[in-house]
């Protein structure tokens, strides 16, 4: 449509402006794009917050998984193009003089572009963290404390918007999103996070509830894909476009395909449910050591260190089905490690030390 082409062409002008005038900030913008990567939720934010506050950590995974699932469905509905391939195929430019957009190793995302998954994931998880931090200060009653709460409120929300704007600019800079796609992603993420602020039932969900939710998310997404495929609508239309117009074939990664993200999130969700409902979690995180700051600090350090080791586990990509299975298992192992394995090991170590001292 003409209106969408006009929106895209204006977006291309913004991308060209950023790539031309903000070249000096390239390293920072690439870094911010990594900051917005939804995978950081499971490897950095979650292990940190879960050991400090299990309610916030649990909510973070629910928000991340459900938010990314909605992001996938919206991507399939909206059929959003990405700038780096749209400029090559559009007929809006005369004499085939399409603008030249620079690509980077993280440009070649293979899924549809709208809304931005990085912007949506970043906004929803940072919204959870900011509201959690502010919940501690809202209880302060005396006058000086109220003033401090207002200052803290202003500071944290300023940080929130600085991070979101930086992530959005970085995604536009690398030509993987149009401006309207990142804006839509930010506000969609906030809506998902706000919805879970009023859903306390997730804190008492049984393992059966996790399984049912996982099955629903998977069956709905797969059924949606198959139904539209029967109607001759290919929801993976973006993958061949990405392969065709990516400047370097090595930059194409199966980990960015729509189903890869779905499997990764379902694995993490399964791992969380298994961990929270395990005996190891009850023994360690519900025991007397769980209230000790030393226990929490040790759990945070051990969790972060252990999860970094998972980065060295490379999943083979030559067989797509095998990749999805192993990706699910790896993703499930990460929250299971944070919730059950690490706390149980730390608990056992502290108990052994206490016995020796006595």
């Amino acid at each position: 449509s003409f209106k969408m082409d006009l929106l895209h062409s204006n977006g291309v002008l913004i991308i060209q402006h950023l790539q031309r005038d903000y070249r000096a900030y390239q390293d920072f913008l690439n870094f911010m794009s990594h900051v917005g990567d939804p995978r950081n939720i499971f490897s950095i934010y979650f292990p940190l917050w879960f050991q400090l506050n299990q309610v916030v950590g649990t909510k973070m995974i629910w928000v991340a998984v459900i938010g990314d699932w909605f992001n996938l469905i919206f991507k399939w509905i909206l059929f959003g193009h990405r700038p780096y391939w749209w400029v090559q195929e559009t007929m809006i430019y005369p004499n085939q003089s399409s603008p030249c957009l620079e690509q980077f190793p993280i440009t070649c995302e293979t899924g549809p572009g709208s809304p931005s998954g990085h912007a949506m994931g970043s906004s929803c998880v940072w919204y959870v963290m900011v509201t959690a931090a502010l919940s501690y200060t809202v209880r302060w009653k005396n006058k000086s404390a109220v003033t401090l709460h207002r200052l803290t409120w202003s500071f944290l929300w300023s940080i929130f918007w600085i991070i979101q704007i930086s992530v959005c600019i970085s995604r536009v800079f690398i030509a993987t999103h149009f401006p309207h796609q990142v804006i839509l992603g930010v506000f969609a993420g906030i809506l998902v996070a706000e919805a879970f602020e009023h859903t306390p039932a997730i804190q008492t969900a049984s393992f059966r509830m996790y399984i049912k939710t996982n099955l629903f998310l998977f069956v709905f997404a797969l059924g949606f894909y198959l139904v539209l495929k029967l109607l001759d609508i290919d929801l993976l239309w973006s993958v061949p476009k990405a392969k065709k117009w990516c400047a370097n074939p090595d930059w194409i990664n199966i980990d960015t395909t729509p189903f890869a993200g779905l499997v990764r999130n379902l694995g993490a969700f399964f791992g969380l449910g298994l961990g929270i409902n395990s005996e190891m979690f009850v023994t360690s995180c519900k025991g007397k050591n769980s209230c000790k700051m030393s226990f929490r600090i040790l759990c945070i350090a051990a969790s972060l260190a252990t999860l970094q080791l998972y980065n060295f586990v490379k999943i083979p990509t030559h067989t797509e089905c095998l990749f999805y299975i192993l990706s699910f298992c790896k993703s499930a192992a990460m929250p299971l490690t944070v919730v059950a394995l690490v706390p149980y090991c730390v608990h056992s170590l502290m108990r052994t030390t206490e016995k020796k001292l006595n």
Side-chain angles (χ1 to χ4, degrees):
S1 67
F2 175 75
K3 288 184 178 180
M4 188 57 67
D5 283 341
L6 186 62
L7 186 63
H8 286 160
S9 62
N10 288 333
V12 168
L13 292 176
I14 294 174
I15 296 170
Q16 287 182 305
H17 169 68
L18 290 174
Q19 292 187 344
R20 181 181 65 250
D21 298 337
Y22 288 79
R23 175 65 56 192
Y25 303 100
Q26 176 180 330
D27 291 339
F28 170 75
L29 292 173
N30 285 334
F31 170 74
M32 289 308 300
S33 189
H34 286 294
V35 168
D37 192 331
R39 284 170 288 196
N40 290 332
I41 299 170
F42 307 112
S43 61
I44 298 176
Y45 305 135
F46 169 67
L48 177 62
W49 273 95
F50 186 83
Q51 307 302 350
L52 293 175
N53 189 315
Q54 293 168 12
V55 172
V56 177
T58 302
K59 185 194 299 180
M60 189 175 291
I61 293 293
W62 276 81
V63 167
V65 170
I66 302 300
D68 207 56
W69 182 82
F70 273 116
N71 182 263
L72 172 64
I73 301 301
F74 286 147
K75 283 180 184 291
W76 279 348
I77 293 173
L78 297 177
F79 281 80
H81 290 274
R82 293 186 185 270
Y84 76 92
W85 76 57
W86 180 82
V87 294
Q88 303 292 340
E89 297 188 343
T90 183
M91 304 300 293
I92 196 173
Y93 299 106
N95 302 323
Q96 297 180 339
S97 56
S98 58
C100 180
L101 299 181
E102 184 176 355
Q103 296 183 25
F104 303 86
I106 55 176
T107 295
C108 299
E109 299 271 353
T110 58
S114 186
S116 167
H118 279 64
M120 190 168 175
S122 176
S123 65
C124 72
V125 73
W126 278 92
Y127 188 93
V128 170
M129 290 192 289
V130 168
T131 53
L134 290 175
S135 67
Y136 289 102
T137 64
V138 76
R139 305 187 190 100
W140 298 342
K141 299 298 183 182
N142 60 68
K143 189 173 182 180
S144 60
V146 170
T147 302
L148 182 59
H149 167 71
R150 289 174 179 172
L151 290 173
T152 305
W153 187 95
S154 300
F155 173 75
L156 290 179
W157 283 117
S158 297
I159 293 295
F160 172 85
W161 285 111
I162 288 172
I163 291 174
Q164 304 321 311
I165 292 171
S166 299
V167 170
C168 290
I169 291 175
S170 72
R171 301 302 289 172
V172 174
F173 174 84
I174 63 174
T176 199
H177 284 295
F178 290 104
H180 69 277
Q181 295 173 342
V182 293
I183 293 172
L184 179 60
V186 167
F187 287 102
I190 291 174
L191 286 175
V192 172
E194 178 60 27
F196 277 91
E197 289 293 317
H198 310 284
T199 314
I202 62 175
Q203 301 299 333
T204 56
S206 63
F207 185 50
R208 179 177 294 182
M209 178 58 68
Y210 278 90
I211 294 294
K212 288 180 178 179
T213 306
N214 241 10
L215 287 174
F216 171 80
L217 297 177
F218 177 73
V219 170
F220 186 97
L222 182 62
F224 188 71
Y225 169 78
L226 293 175
V227 167
L228 289 185
K229 191 170 184 179
L230 289 175
L231 298 175
D232 204 26
I233 300 175
D234 183 15
L235 293 179
L236 299 181
W237 59 273
S238 59
V239 177
K241 287 184 181 292
K243 292 179 178 179
K244 180 178 180 181
W245 297 115
C246 184
N248 187 338
D250 293 334
W251 295 347
I252 297 290
N253 192 340
I254 190 175
D255 202 31
T256 67
T257 59
F259 279 113
L262 176 66
V263 169
R264 183 171 57 246
N265 286 310
L266 295 182
F269 197 66
F270 176 82
L272 175 66
L274 183 62
I276 283 182
N277 291 279
S278 67
E279 285 296 326
M280 285 190 291
F281 172 76
V282 174
T283 301
S284 56
C285 294
K286 296 296 184 182
K288 63 178 183 178
N289 283 329
S290 63
C291 299
K292 298 179 180 178
M293 185 53 65
S294 58
F295 172 80
R296 297 184 181 185
I297 292 175
L298 284 172
C299 286
I300 290 173
S303 296
L304 291 173
T306 305
L307 292 186
Q308 299 316 305
L309 298 177
Y310 283 98
N311 294 330
F312 296 100
V313 179
K314 301 301 180 183
I315 300 176
T317 58
H318 57 276
T319 304
E320 196 167 352
C321 183
L322 178 63
F323 171 83
Y324 289 142
I325 293 173
L326 294 179
S327 180
F328 179 91
C329 295
K330 179 181 177 180
S331 298
M334 295 176 73
L336 183 61
T337 298
V338 173
V339 171
L341 297 179
V342 165
Y344 184 78
C345 291
V346 173
H347 169 76
S348 300
L349 179 63
M350 292 181 69
R351 188 174 59 179
T352 303
T353 304
E354 288 173 357
K355 286 182 178 179
K356 287 183 179 179
L357 292 176
N358 293 332

